[in-house]
């Protein structure tokens, strides 16, 4: 198609009533297809790439598109043309032309260069006592690790790439653009595999069942995370491994209830103990302690045992324990007991 007969809508491959998103989507698809760096030495592809950008320069601008729809392409002849296109129209940021095309073809490059391995997430249940004191426990998991035979390279043997001289990238000038891209010969590795690894068959990784020790610090709570660096999946093409995240769950306790760093415990007492007061035993995470119950204590009364709670994960400062009084009544009442209770009842009047 000549420059004088070029129809911008046909060039992009959209209808004249296409939305801005449809135009942008069609443009990106064609730009990837005809970019000179993906078609080295193809003059037809380079010409098509310029036509696509010229069309997109107009159709992506609301004002210019309206002028084009009314007056046609002639209104833009003699202007800036392709050389004057605006980087913001690409929607990839404003870091300059080199950054634009770097972003544009990132999806093609992701499989060509070393990449960090995927993070793994697993769950782990611990008791309240373990959360209180901290604990080191074994964890068995399956993950991809770097192949021990080839060290993650995927090769039994390889040689330096002759095109990039081992750098893994080449630079090319395209008019005003200076682009750096992965070497097409070695795909960014700097080396070319002569013989694929006989163990991993070129993938660079293998599956492994492992048992590791997980150190859980004091103060962990449900929802807390422990991060183990480098214990995730192996990287691609020699890239670093990902991390392992362990999401903790603190199991319910039969005696204590937790609220943040504080704990609560129900303490059963008799009517006599509540009325007359006295010494009572209170369980804590450190063991049993003795507490003085004052006379006339009501059911539901809370007594604070300072510093007997859970240590804070970051500061180590311990929360408190609250002993909640629960008056219990006798299940069987004899005649004498009834008389005694009736006498107690008179005390309420």
């Amino acid at each position: 198609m000549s420059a004088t007969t070029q129809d911008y809508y046909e060039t992009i491959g959209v209808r004249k009533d296409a939305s801005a998103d449809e135009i942008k989507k069609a443009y990106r698809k064609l730009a990837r297809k005809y970019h000179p760096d993906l078609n080295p030495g193809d003059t037809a592809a380079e010409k098509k790439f310029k036509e696509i950008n010229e069309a997109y320069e107009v159709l992506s601008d609301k004002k210019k598109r309206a002028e084009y729809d009314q007056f046609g392409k002639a209104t833009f002849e003699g202007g800036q043309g392709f050389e004057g296109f605006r980087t913001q129209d690409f929607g990839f940021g404003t870091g300059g032309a080199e950054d634009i095309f770097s972003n544009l073809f990132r999806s093609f490059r992701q499989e060509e260069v070393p990449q960090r391995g995927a993070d793994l997430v697993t769950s782990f249940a611990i008791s309240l006592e373990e959360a209180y004191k901290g604990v080191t426990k074994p964890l068995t998991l399956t993950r991809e690790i770097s192949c021990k035979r080839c060290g993650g390279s995927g090769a039994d043997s390889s040689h330096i790439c002759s095109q990039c001289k081992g750098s893994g990238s080449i630079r090319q000038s395209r008019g005003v653009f200076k682009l750096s891209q992965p070497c097409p010969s070695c795909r960014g590795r700097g080396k070319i595999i002569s013989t694929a690894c006989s163990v991993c068959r070129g993938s660079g990784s293998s599956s492994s069942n492992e048992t590791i020790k997980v150190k859980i610090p004091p103060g962990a709570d449900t929802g807390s995370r422990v991060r183990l660096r480098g214990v995730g999946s192996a990287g691609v093409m020699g890239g670093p491994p990902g991390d392992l995240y362990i999401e903790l769950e603190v199991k319910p306790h039969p005696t204590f209830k937790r609220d943040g760093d504080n704990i609560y415990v129900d303490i059963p007492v008799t009517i006599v103990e509540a009325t007359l007061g006295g010494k009572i035993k209170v369980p804590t995470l450190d063991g049993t302690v003795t507490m003085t119950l004052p006379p006339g204590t009501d059911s539901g009364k809370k007594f604070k045992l300072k510093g007997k709670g859970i240590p804070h994960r970051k500061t180590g400062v311990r929360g408190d324990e609250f002993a909640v009084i629960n008056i219990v009544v006798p299940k069987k009442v004899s005649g004498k007991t009834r008389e005694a209770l009736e006498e107690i009842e008179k005390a309420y009047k």
Side-chain angles (χ1 to χ4, degrees), residues 273-303:
E273 289 173 324
T275 303
L276 302 180
K279 302 290 185 179
I280 59 173
K281 300 292 185 181
V282 178
T284 73
L285 290 171
D286 289 323
T288 302
V289 299
T290 300
M291 184 186 83
T292 300
L293 187 70
T297 299
D298 293 327
S299 190
K301 177 72 176 179
K302 298 177 183 177
F303 293 91

Side-chain angles (χ1 to χ4, degrees), residues 7-239:
D7 181 291
Y8 289 152
Y9 290 103
E10 290 184 4
T11 300
I12 297 294
V14 296
R15 304 185 311 274
K16 289 189 176 183
D17 61 349
S19 67
D21 287 340
E22 290 174 331
I23 291 173
K24 181 182 290 187
K25 183 178 180 181
Y27 162 73
R28 288 182 173 179
K29 181 177 180 181
L30 291 174
R32 292 188 183 99
K33 180 178 180 181
Y34 291 104
H35 191 277
D37 287 337
L38 298 181
N39 301 274
D42 189 337
T43 56
E46 186 172 357
K47 180 181 178 182
K48 181 69 174 177
F49 182 70
K50 291 181 178 180
E51 292 176 353
I52 292 166
N53 281 284
E54 180 183 340
Y56 184 72
E57 159 67 6
V58 174
L59 298 184
S60 63
D61 185 288
K62 188 175 182 180
K63 183 178 179 181
K64 289 184 179 181
R65 182 180 178 184
E67 293 175 356
Y68 174 75
D69 290 341
Q70 185 174 2
F71 302 109
K73 183 174 180 290
T75 189
F76 302 103
E77 292 179 349
Q80 289 181 320
F82 168 66
E83 295 296 327
F85 75 84
R86 294 163 291 112
T87 59
Q88 61 266 34
D89 285 335
F90 288 83
F92 301 136
T94 56
E98 187 167 346
D99 287 341
I100 289 170
F101 290 110
S102 176
N103 285 328
L104 181 62
F105 295 100
R106 184 176 296 162
S107 59
F108 293 97
R109 298 176 182 178
Q110 286 179 344
E111 296 181 357
E112 311 296 335
V113 296
Q115 298 178 62
R116 180 178 179 275
D119 291 333
L120 300 178
V121 180
T122 188
S123 58
F124 208 55
I126 60 175
S127 68
L128 182 63
E129 288 85 356
E130 290 171 333
Y132 165 63
K133 295 181 180 179
V135 66
T136 298
K137 301 189 72 171
L139 172 66
T140 301
L141 74 157
T142 301
R143 67 185 181 111
E144 290 293 313
I145 62 171
S146 292
C147 177
K148 294 181 180 179
R149 178 180 175 84
C150 66
S153 68
D156 271 345
S157 62
S158 61
H159 59 273
I160 299 295
C161 175
S162 59
Q163 184 170 352
C164 68
K165 309 302 182 183
S167 68
S169 63
I170 58 174
R171 295 183 66 86
Q172 294 184 344
S173 297
R174 296 289 179 182
V176 297
F177 304 116
K178 292 182 179 180
L179 306 177
S180 177
Q181 68 177 59
C183 174
S185 295
C186 65
R187 297 185 177 182
R189 301 183 184 185
K191 296 181 180 181
I192 295 178
I193 295 177
S194 302
T195 306
C197 174
S198 58
V199 175
C200 67
R201 298 183 179 180
S203 69
S205 63
S206 60
S207 181
S208 173
N209 293 320
E210 303 177 45
T211 298
I212 60 176
K213 291 183 178 180
V214 180
K215 184 177 180 180
I216 300 171
D221 199 356
T222 296
S224 297
R225 270 189 164 195
V226 175
R227 179 185 182 185
L228 299 182
R229 296 181 182 272
V231 191
S233 291
V236 178
M237 292 185 178

Side-chain angles (χ1 to χ4, degrees), residues 239-262:
D243 299 330
L244 172 65
Y245 289 90
I246 302 173
E247 295 182 344
L248 300 177
E249 176 190 357
V250 180
K251 295 179 288 187
H253 196 277
T255 301
F256 302 103
K257 293 181 180 179
R258 181 175 180 176
D259 182 12
D261 293 335
N262 296 327

